[in-house]
Amino acid sequence: GCSSLTTVDASNASFASIEQGAFNNTPLTQISFPDTLTTIGVNAFLNCSELTALDLSGTKLSSVGNGAFTGCTSLVSVSMPSTLETWPGFGDSGKLSKVTIASDNQNLESVDEVMVIKKGTDGTKTLTYVVPNVSRDDDGLRSVTIPKDVTSIDISAFRNATLDAVYVEEGNTAMSSMGNGAAVIGSNGAVLYIAGAVESIELPDTVSSLSSNVLEYATALKRLAWGGSGTTGNLSIPSASSGLDELVLTTTGSVTM
């Protein structure tokens, strides 16, 4: 292997693919790509923990293999071209704070450089990814605002994002946020997300269920309350209840866990 390789300049080269494991476990800090690149193979950049930026915007990249960027723990920014079909995994890139996608991409779009939206052929839009390192605002809070045309949220979209609040743009008919941005609630009464930094939450009695993984990603949550003296509805709670210390559930209906 190239155990001391730190820089690769392939901007003037002419190849279409980077093969499986091509640069894994190398101390790369900088790499440029040819405009002919279309494919990155499985584990191609596995454990390239010194790499801080990926600029693929000038390529024709369409597909990325599983684990291609696993272990790229120092990545801060990623830029993708109009040809990319599916957002690749950046699961353990905890410093990632900026993602951009070419505006003419028909499959994906970036919002505020912190969210990735997948465009369905039927006009639907799914929130697919939120960067883990969202910048703090003037009040010291980390928050995002989901656009009004987003119709669903991927189960893993917030997997590594620790946020103080998530808001939903006014006019979205598929979901809404609690007033303080502590949670996102679907129009069907399901809690889609609880902000990762929230320690205590009182859900409105219009809520009927918590989607799978909601509590798993609510890593700071210790207390959850739902219902009151007039509540008659039912509530379904997923079995993986994270680090909850206290559940306060009040209803004449049923609660299932």
Side-chain angles (χ1 to χ4, degrees), residues 90-91 114-117 126-134 142-147 150 152-168 175 177 181-185 191-197 212-219:
F90 290 97
V114 295
M115 291 177 281
V116 176
I117 309 295
T126 301
L127 177 59
T128 298
Y129 180 75
V130 179
V131 299
N133 191 22
V134 174
R142 295 185 177 186
S143 67
V144 298
T145 299
I146 298 173
V150 168
S152 62
I153 298 175
D154 254 355
I155 193 171
S156 60
F158 292 96
R159 183 183 296 275
N160 296 294
T162 300
L163 299 169
D164 298 292
V166 177
Y167 303 103
V168 178
M175 63 193 75
S177 58
V184 177
I185 302 170
V191 177
L192 304 176
Y193 177 70
I194 295 174
S212 61
N213 289 11
V214 163
L215 294 178
E216 178 185 344
Y217 300 152
T219 52

Side-chain angles (χ1 to χ4, degrees), residues 52-87:
T52 58
L54 276 174
D55 185 359
L56 290 146
S57 59
T59 71
K60 297 178 178 64
L61 183 69
S62 60
S63 65
V64 178
N66 291 336
F69 304 113
T70 297
C72 293
T73 52
S74 296
L75 275 178
V76 174
S77 65
V78 172
S79 297
M80 292 293 185
S82 61
T83 47
L84 187 67
E85 297 177 0
T86 303
W87 186 250

